[in-house]
Amino acid sequence: MTGAGTGAHQAQGLAIETRALTKKFGSQTAVNGIHLRVPRGAVFGFLGPNGSGKTTSIRMLLGLTQASSGSISVLGQSMPTRLSEVLPRVGALVEGPAFYPFLSGAANLRRLDTADPFAPRRTRRARVQGALERVGLSHAAEKKVHAYSLGMKQRLGIANALLLPRELLVLDEPTNGLDPQGTREVRSLVRSLAAEGTTVFVSSHLLAEVEQMCTHAAVMSVGSLVAQGTLAALRQVGETRVHLRTPDAAGALRVLTRLGLEPARATNDAADAVVVAPLGDTNWQPEAIVTALVAGGVRIRGFAIEEPSLEERFVALTGEGFDVAQ
Amino acid sequence: MSPSETRPPETEGGPHVRHGGSWDLLGSEISVLFRRRRTWAMLVAVALIPILLAVAVRLSSSTLDPGEGPPFLDRVTQNGLFVGFTAMVVAIPLFLPLTIGVVAGDTIAGEAGLGTLRYLLVAPAGRVRLLLVKYAGAALFCLVATLTLTVSGALVGAALFPVGPVTLLSGDTISVTESLLRSLLVAAYVTVSLLGLAMIGLFISTLTDVPVGAMAATIVVSVIAQILDVIPQLDWLHPWLFSHYWLGFADLLRQPLDLGSFAHNAILQAGYLAVFGALAYSRFVTKDILS
């Protein structure tokens, strides 16, 4: 699934590229030789269960920890050797927000802004205000952070990443602790940033989240990258299916078979059966299938074309259940 | 720092160049340090030392024989300007190192404990720049703490006792103005004395993500140095201990002014800055930030 193209000239089009990136803590391998390729302009979902090496990878991308082996290039420059030139172009939320509890939200942002040597002092107040507005925290700007809820801290963390226009945003679990309203706001914020041309690299253990906002995704499992590509390409491994509810199961099976599909009954309830059939590479339009069913005397109670779900793929790749990867 | 041709597209902020940000970060560091209640609590406690001392002497009816109690204490009743010197002698062995331990131990470990260290570093603050700024903040605190003690001592001394020309240890007498200048010189001496400990604290602070541990370790180091300094069998070691000249400011109270011990002390502290600065640097630039 690493079909994003090869060759050195392609590196121009990559916001993040890692080669055989590995991180070992003692005898334990947290990240095992990953080849990450994040195209510029993408909203890239970095998926994986808790403990699969996502945050460790992000820490290496941002120069917080040193790779045990392998190389990293961010925005076309080698990391961490060119860190001081790369990081001003990158906004980041790493492993949850962290702030000085005794300072107000705005004072915290000003403090972190002074740490960036490229951040102009002249525009600092205005930029802080703008970033707070963008995440809906203007009303709490002068409140001390220890009085913030987790969701507010999360928003403040995102605001910190937006203090300057960035070419790349790295957001580690950005919707953690947010209510559904806040989650929607983050999604639309990410979309608007992507529309402005910012590459967004979002890590998440929530598949639905990635499915709703990303164009590309990679899946981590136990320190290894097990899949990577556009969402469409990742989905293609699954299949589009016809999902039909009908009291005439036998007739439905007959009609669908005649259309060249391979239908199967999903339930045995004769009065209200569910029939599913993979669409395969047949090019039947949904309305044509319905027309054929009705012409064949099949009564339809429900009809749907089910897109392959990324979830099936995700579960297949990373396993099910609550086991935290060791 | 070579300019890069791949700078981000420019916005209203003008050309994308450095904005003298080091001074901004230093200003921010100082403002964060002095906005903490903890810092103010320590400075108030420092200011209370000469006040308690002066009040106790004023209220007590018994007079001290010369040489009894801490140095200079017997002179306080004759001249209020000695309150500051006495308080300095009392504060140097434990209380001032304690406050320095808290501030210096908190420098890096405190940021790591809050999690803000990773955000400063991805900003990017730059690891060397952050160390320098953190040390500058701790050094400034050393100066502010000793000045607080000096000023508080002068004020309470003037309020409770007669003030007049000061008789120095050498027997000469200097004017009130000159004695105030000598007080500032003593404050400078004590500030310099504490710089080595502050750098040790900075180094210890790079070793851990637990600020309380770094603070305690720094204070313990200062206590151990002073214990070693009174063991006669280790007299070869004494001139190398950062605490060895801590009480040596009496030379500044002689006429003519003898700056020899000031210079000795400064050279010793510079040695500690170099060694522990290098250790802090080598530790911090390669450290995996996992906090």
Side-chain angles (χ1 to χ4, degrees):
Chain A
M1 293 304 300
T2 52
T6 49
H9 66 282
Q10 284 278 342
Q12 286 294 331
L14 292 177
I16 298 172
E17 184 181 23
T18 71
R19 290 197 196 84
L21 184 64
T22 300
K23 179 70 184 179
K24 291 182 178 159
F25 293 107
S27 62
Q28 196 177 332
T29 305
V31 175
N32 190 5
I34 66 173
H35 293 261
L36 203 56
R37 300 173 67 84
V38 179
R40 281 196 195 236
V43 178
F44 193 99
F46 195 40
L47 270 167
N50 294 326
S52 58
K54 299 190 300 290
T55 297
T56 306
S57 304
I58 288 175
R59 282 177 182 275
M60 285 190 283
L61 292 178
L62 297 172
L64 288 171
T65 58
Q66 287 182 312
S68 304
S69 63
S71 68
I72 304 170
S73 151
V74 175
L75 297 173
Q77 305 222 45
S78 158
M79 281 291 279
T81 40
R82 308 296 288 275
L83 180 144
S84 61
E85 289 153 61
V86 174
L87 287 186
R89 300 151 66 195
V90 179
L93 176 72
V94 196
E95 212 177 354
F99 294 101
Y100 305 90
F102 50 90
L103 295 181
S104 71
N108 264 289
L109 293 191
R110 288 197 292 270
R111 155 76 168 166
L112 292 172
D113 193 58
T114 60
D116 179 354
F118 293 98
R121 178 195 305 179
R122 207 158 36 80
T123 56
R124 183 161 295 141
R125 279 183 182 275
R127 286 184 293 111
V128 165
Q129 211 161 21
L132 287 169
E133 242 158 63
R134 196 143 191 199
V135 299
L137 271 185
S138 303
H139 65 286
E142 297 309 322
K143 229 186 199 177
K144 297 263 195 292
V145 166
H146 70 72
Y148 275 31
S149 67
L150 175 59
M152 288 165 81
K153 286 182 193 161
Q154 193 76 17
R155 287 162 190 254
L156 192 60
I158 296 171
N160 175 48
L162 301 177
L163 283 173
L164 281 170
R166 314 284 191 181
E167 287 170 76
L168 171 65
L169 277 179
V170 177
L171 303 175
D172 191 6
E173 307 274 0
T175 58
N176 211 5
L178 291 180
D179 51 22
Q181 162 78 10
T183 308
R184 272 196 302 279
E185 285 171 14
V186 167
R187 273 205 300 270
S188 82
L189 183 63
V190 165
R191 276 194 210 104
S192 74
L193 289 163
E196 292 163 21
T198 308
T199 309
V200 187
F201 183 82
V202 196
S203 94
S204 179
H205 62 278
L206 299 174
L207 190 88
E209 190 174 290
V210 166
E211 215 165 0
Q212 286 180 60
M213 62 182 167
C214 295
T215 58
H216 294 65
V219 182
M220 290 285 285
S221 176
V222 209
S224 298
L225 200 58
V226 288
Q228 162 167 237
T230 62
L231 276 203
L234 286 171
R235 278 204 192 101
Q236 256 165 26
V237 180
E239 44 188 10
T240 312
R241 300 182 304 185
V242 173
H243 183 274
L244 175 68
R245 256 185 66 210
T246 173
D248 303 322
L253 290 172
R254 200 179 55 244
V255 172
L256 291 173
T257 309
R258 203 174 53 212
L259 291 176
L261 304 178
E262 292 169 7
R265 282 179 70 151
T267 62
N268 280 322
D269 184 354
D272 191 11
V274 173
V275 173
V276 291
L279 220 42
D281 13 332
T282 64
N283 284 323
W284 288 110
Q285 293 301 310
E287 58 273 20
I289 299 174
V290 174
T291 309
L293 286 167
V294 173
V298 177
R299 289 168 291 169
I300 300 174
R301 286 185 176 161
F303 180 89
I305 299 292
E306 284 183 342
E307 294 294 333
S309 112
L310 208 51
E311 179 153 13
E312 290 163 27
R313 175 100 170 112
F314 182 60
V315 169
L317 288 167
T318 61
E320 212 154 353
F322 288 106
D323 300 336
V324 171
Q326 288 297 305
Chain B
M1 193 66 41
S2 66
S4 165
E5 53 289 342
T6 50
R7 287 267 177 264
E10 216 12 80
T11 51
E12 68 278 6
H16 207 78
V17 292
R18 289 179 164 266
H19 294 264
S22 288
W23 297 110
D24 284 13
L25 182 58
L26 181 60
S28 157
E29 176 63 28
I30 291 167
S31 113
V32 168
L33 177 61
F34 287 100
R35 256 199 255 184
R36 299 195 78 154
R37 275 193 212 150
R38 186 177 72 196
T39 309
W40 285 104
M42 290 193 298
L43 291 177
V44 166
V46 166
L48 279 175
I49 293 173
I51 295 173
L52 290 176
L53 198 135
V55 169
V57 170
R58 187 82 174 86
L59 293 182
S60 99
S61 50
S62 65
T63 52
L64 286 168
D65 295 326
E68 197 181 345
F72 312 122
L73 190 58
D74 53 321
R75 296 165 182 247
V76 164
T77 48
Q78 295 137 41
N79 196 330
L81 292 174
F82 275 101
V83 171
F85 298 134
T86 315
M88 199 63 95
V89 173
V90 171
I92 280 180
L94 185 63
F95 200 78
L96 282 178
L98 200 129
T99 60
I100 306 309
V102 169
V103 171
D106 195 49
T107 47
I108 301 294
E111 300 282 356
L114 287 175
T116 42
L117 182 57
R118 60 177 183 270
Y119 286 107
L120 289 173
L121 292 181
V122 300
R127 297 193 182 201
V128 176
R129 179 164 159 254
L130 187 61
L131 271 184
L132 289 175
V133 163
K134 282 290 178 186
Y135 185 72
L140 179 70
F141 180 82
C142 294
L143 177 66
V144 170
T146 52
L147 280 180
T148 302
L149 197 147
T150 302
V151 170
S152 160
L155 292 178
V156 74
L160 296 183
F161 301 103
V163 169
V166 172
T167 309
L168 292 175
L169 300 177
S170 56
D172 302 85
T173 302
I174 57 171
S175 68
V176 172
T177 319
E178 199 186 341
S179 85
L180 288 176
L181 287 176
R182 296 278 176 119
S183 304
L184 290 180
L185 204 55
V186 169
Y189 181 96
V190 174
T191 303
V192 170
S193 298
L194 295 170
L195 292 182
L197 178 63
M199 187 59 92
I200 294 173
L202 181 74
F203 166 61
I204 293 174
S205 196
T206 62
L207 301 177
T208 173
D209 295 343
V210 186
V212 175
M215 294 175 195
T218 309
I219 295 162
V220 165
V221 165
S222 100
V223 171
I224 288 176
Q226 293 177 78
I227 291 173
L228 295 177
D229 207 12
V230 296
I231 300 176
Q233 285 78 3
L234 295 175
D235 58 357
W236 55 270
L237 180 65
H238 295 168
W240 301 97
L241 293 168
F242 60 87
S243 57
H244 187 62
Y245 297 104
W246 275 7
L247 290 168
F249 61 80
D251 283 355
L252 301 176
L253 301 178
R254 293 182 210 282
Q255 195 78 299
L257 186 60
D258 179 6
L259 288 173
S261 57
F262 197 114
H264 263 123
N265 184 30
I267 290 167
L268 179 71
Q269 301 300 330
Y272 273 89
L273 290 201
V275 171
F276 283 90
L279 285 173
Y281 167 83
S282 62
R283 164 69 184 162
F284 191 56
V285 291
T286 57
K287 187 183 185 184
D288 274 355
I289 307 299
L290 299 172
S291 57

